[in-house]
């Protein structure tokens, strides 16, 4: 299956068997998204929904891997999404995260990343921004496995 | 024919633990085996089911504990082991404290350093000279201003408000704080009449009280609270603690210096001996 060696972030893996074996929840899952836009290049860090909010900084892939993303993580929070591997102009992300802390005076920041090593870059951006910011808030990092399992949860 | 299992354990889960221990003393040994020290707890009115949840045993340990207690209560029949419902997330290895809890744990460090010098402080108690009385006043001031007004106030006025304050574990913690305040009142009265023995007795009792109290908070209460706090609450606590820190200005630093001075004084005295 793993004929593709090299970067673990882009290695082909097949979970068809395990992904479908668990029972599906019945009924519609309601979206918990309360804002637009969400991509880090498009958002304004001082938009009203960021003021004093609990904010999620989410790697793009997390939304697809984490089955309970809406009810368990997004609910009650504002969000910004980014890909630390492919996006350009990431200095701008650092400035925006810093502005969340200093200008929007957010309450907390949760950084959701995938287990692949390159995704750590998003956490590094958040840490760099937190260091530059004048205000401190609790920051939690959550590492999500390729099949949506929570591999680690830590305060940074 | 399959044996019918009874479910009478349910009834005990809603009883308070001291009552159960009173009725079945060997239950204490089973609890001790899991480091659950209800026997030595001052209040002991926690419900059995809350104790299992608060101590965060893993499911295997929890089942074994309940089975052990069931064997004590029903020595000659098999009973079904109930599952304890929990609000909190299951334990996932050694989790670090959230930033606001870490702040409180860090404050405990200074309190623990004070508690550690108390035995030597007692040895050196001198109520006959003004310098001796001043040192005693400074020690009492540390208890009043740092441990109580600065630290316990954060717990009582901010942290505990996030939880049901009628929970026995929280009532026990507040009772400990109140107990410490009583010790201070007695010491101040004793100091006024230059009664060395009463001061020494109260300091020793305070030392024992705070040693247990801080251990319970660090190892059990705060961890349980952290598992139950939402991200929103963590952020709010962090901000409120920060406001308190600003309000108190250089108070923590002043007391840090006081404890360091005490440690140095006793260490040099020790070396001289
Ligand atoms: Fe306390
Ligand atoms: Fe405390």
């Amino acid at each position: 299956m793993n004929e593709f060696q090299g970067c673990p972030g882009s290695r082909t893996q097949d979970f068809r068997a395990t992904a479908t074996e668990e029972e599906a929840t019945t009924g519609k899952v309601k979206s918990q998204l309360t804002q637009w836009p969400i991509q880090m290049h498009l958002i304004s860090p001082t938009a009203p929904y960021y003021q004093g909010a609990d904010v999620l900084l989410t790697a793009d892939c997390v939304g697809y891997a984490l089955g309970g993303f809406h009810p368990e993580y997004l609910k009650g929070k504002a969000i910004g999404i980014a890909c630390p591997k492919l996006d350009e102009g990431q200095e701008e992300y650092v400035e925006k995260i810093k502005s969340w802390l200093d200008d929007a005076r957010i309450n907390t920041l949760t950084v959701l990343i995938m287990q692949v090593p390159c995704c750590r870059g998003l956490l590094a951006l958040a840490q760099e921004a937190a260091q530059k910011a004048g205000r401190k808030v609790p920051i939690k990092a959550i590492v999500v496995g390729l099949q949506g399992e929570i591999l680690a949860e830590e305060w940074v | 024919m399959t044996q019918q299992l009874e479910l009478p354990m349910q009834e005990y889960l809603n009883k308070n633990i001291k009552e159960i221990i009173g009725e079945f003393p060997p239950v204490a040994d089973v609890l001790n085996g899991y480091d659950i020290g209800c026997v030595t707890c001052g209040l002991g009115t926690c419900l059995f089911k809350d104790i299992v949840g608060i101590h965060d045993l893993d499911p295997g340990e929890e089942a074994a504990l309940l089975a052990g207690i069931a064997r004590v209560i029903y020595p000659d029949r098999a009973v079904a082991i109930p599952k304890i419902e929990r609000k909190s997330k299951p334990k996932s290895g050694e989790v670090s404290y959230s930033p606001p809890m870490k702040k409180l744990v860090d404050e405990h460090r200074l309190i623990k350093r004070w508690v550690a010098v108390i035995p030597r402080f007692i040895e050196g108690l001198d109520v006959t000279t003004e310098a001796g009385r001043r040192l005693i006043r400074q020690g009492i001031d540390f208890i009043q201003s740092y441990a109580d007004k600065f630290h316990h106030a954060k717990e009582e006025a901010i942290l505990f408000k996030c939880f049901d304050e009628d929970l026995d574990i929280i009532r026990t913690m507040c009772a400990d704080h109140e107990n410490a305040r009583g010790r201070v009142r007695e010491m101040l009265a004793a100091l006024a009449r230059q009664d060395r023995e009463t001061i020494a007795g109260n300091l020793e009792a305070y030392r024992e009280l705070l040693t247990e109290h801080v251990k319970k908070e660090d190892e059990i209460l705060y961890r349980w609270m952290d598992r139950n706090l939402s991200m929103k609450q963590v952020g709010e606590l962090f901000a409120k603690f920060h406001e308190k820190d600003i309000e108190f200005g250089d108070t923590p630093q002043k007391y840090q210096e006081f404890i360091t001075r005490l440690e140095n004084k006793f260490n040099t005295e020790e070396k001289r001996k």
Side-chain angles (χ1 to χ4, degrees), chain B residues 13 23 25 32 49 72 84 95 131 180 212 225 246 263:
Chain B
L13 287 175
E23 202 177 329
N32 277 334
K49 64 174 181 200
V72 173
I84 308 287
V95 195
E212 274 302 304
M225 287 181 159
I246 289 174
E263 288 167 339

Side-chain angles (χ1 to χ4, degrees), chain A residues 54 77 107-110 136-140 153-155, chain B residues 89 95-100 231-236 238:
Chain A
D54 295 294
K77 299 198 179 75
N107 187 44
T108 60
L109 181 64
T110 305
K136 299 274 164 266
V137 300
I139 300 179
K140 185 190 252 187
E153 238 183 76
E154 62 203 47
W155 297 100
Chain B
K89 291 164 232 147
V95 195
S96 58
Y97 296 106
S98 66
M231 199 62 185
K232 186 172 190 301
Q233 286 175 310
V234 168
E236 288 167 354
F238 187 78

